[in-house]
Amino acid sequence: MKIQSVEAVPLTVSFRTAFRFGTTDRTTSPNVVVIIRSDDGVAGYGEACPVPAFTGETQKSVVELVEQRVAPTLIGKDPGNRVRLLGDLERVVRSAPFTVAAVDTALLDLLGRALQVPVHTLLGGACRDRTEVHGSVGWDEDPAKMVETAVAQSQTYRWLKLYAGRGEIDADLDRLRAVRDAVGPDIELFVDINGMWTPSDLVRALPRVGEIGLAMLEQPLPPAAAAFQHQLVGDLRIDIAADEAVRTVSDAARVARERTATVINVGHAKLGGPTAALQAAQIAAGSGVGVMVGSVIEMGIATAMGLQLAAALPRLGYPSYLMGPLKYRQQITEPQIEVLDGHIAVPRGPGLGVTVDENELRRLDARARS
Ligand SMILES: [Mg+2]
């Protein structure tokens, strides 16, 4: 089997409602679908979702890198030698984790479909047949809006992710308090600060964090302040997750070595693909650090990849962030994910286990619309 073509399709897609967190406001999303076809007629799909908070890549740069660097490197090669191909790509595609993640995903999907096995089998096999997921409540100036979203989501999810850091610190903690009061004590809450607090903010927030009953803080301090996190983490009785601080496998090793967090978010997109995410997860697990599978709220292809990765990890410290497709107006895969009892089933079919609607990809093609 040889790779015959590598294609990138930029999509025009949008969210059902605006989603705010960190310094980011998202109403549309610059996703790109990568399609790798083999000479025996099998197609594999990957999805890039380049968000500015994590990468300098854009929708246009993803398409150009795939067309100008990835395609010439991969065409004619055997997709079965995936890790070797990723090494070849490393030499020509640098500092573009979201592009490489989409290609890695498409290679895994292609191989899985060709061999008629699910991607999780290629990653070492399934440790679970469903994974718990959390809902997410975007930041809003108006606490009543956050309360309304949180209450609605608490019908579906046992865990909710909230955001803080954008507002004045006490006002942000008031918003979290309002959500806690509305959802009651049985819903588990954690907060992603996207690195926007200073060490002083964290010290000041800690008593109220405990009082509100938050299970975990994700990236409370910027990566450069990791040493403070290291000092403060010892005094905490809650988990600290590293997200923005872990962009590479060696970042994961550093967090594990310096013990600046108790959990590492191993989202496959920001880490440059499921292969790197699996390595980061193995380093974390081997160092006694927990892992969780994050995302940047992707559509059905990258989300299916997240589910396959979550299936292959022996231990997950927290629920996964894999309900992205539910936030989009448009859908490119079937079946739509379904959250049952707070969990999503791991797709069992070959490859990623989802069917990609290529007609819909053509219809959503941003180039056809401009
Ligand atoms: Mg995060």
Side-chain angles (χ1 to χ4, degrees), residues 280-327:
Q282 286 163 341
I283 286 171
S287 313
V289 176
V291 295
M292 62 190 291
V293 177
S295 74
V296 289
I297 316 177
E298 297 117 341
M299 300 185 84
I301 297 171
T303 299
M305 185 61 248
L307 286 164
Q308 299 287 344
L309 176 65
L313 298 179
R315 289 184 68 184
L316 290 172
Y318 280 86
S320 303
Y321 199 12
L322 293 170
M323 44 38 141
L326 299 175
K327 291 204 187 269

Side-chain angles (χ1 to χ4, degrees), residues 115-128:
L115 299 172
Q116 289 290 299
V117 296
V119 164
H120 59 251
T121 300
L122 302 174
L123 300 179
C127 298
R128 57 185 57 76

Side-chain angles (χ1 to χ4, degrees), residues 54 161 163 192 194 218-219 243-244 265 295:
F54 273 106
K161 171 174 181 159
Y163 293 87
D192 193 346
N194 298 104
E218 183 169 326
Q219 197 71 53
D243 187 10
E244 280 84 349
N265 183 322
S295 74

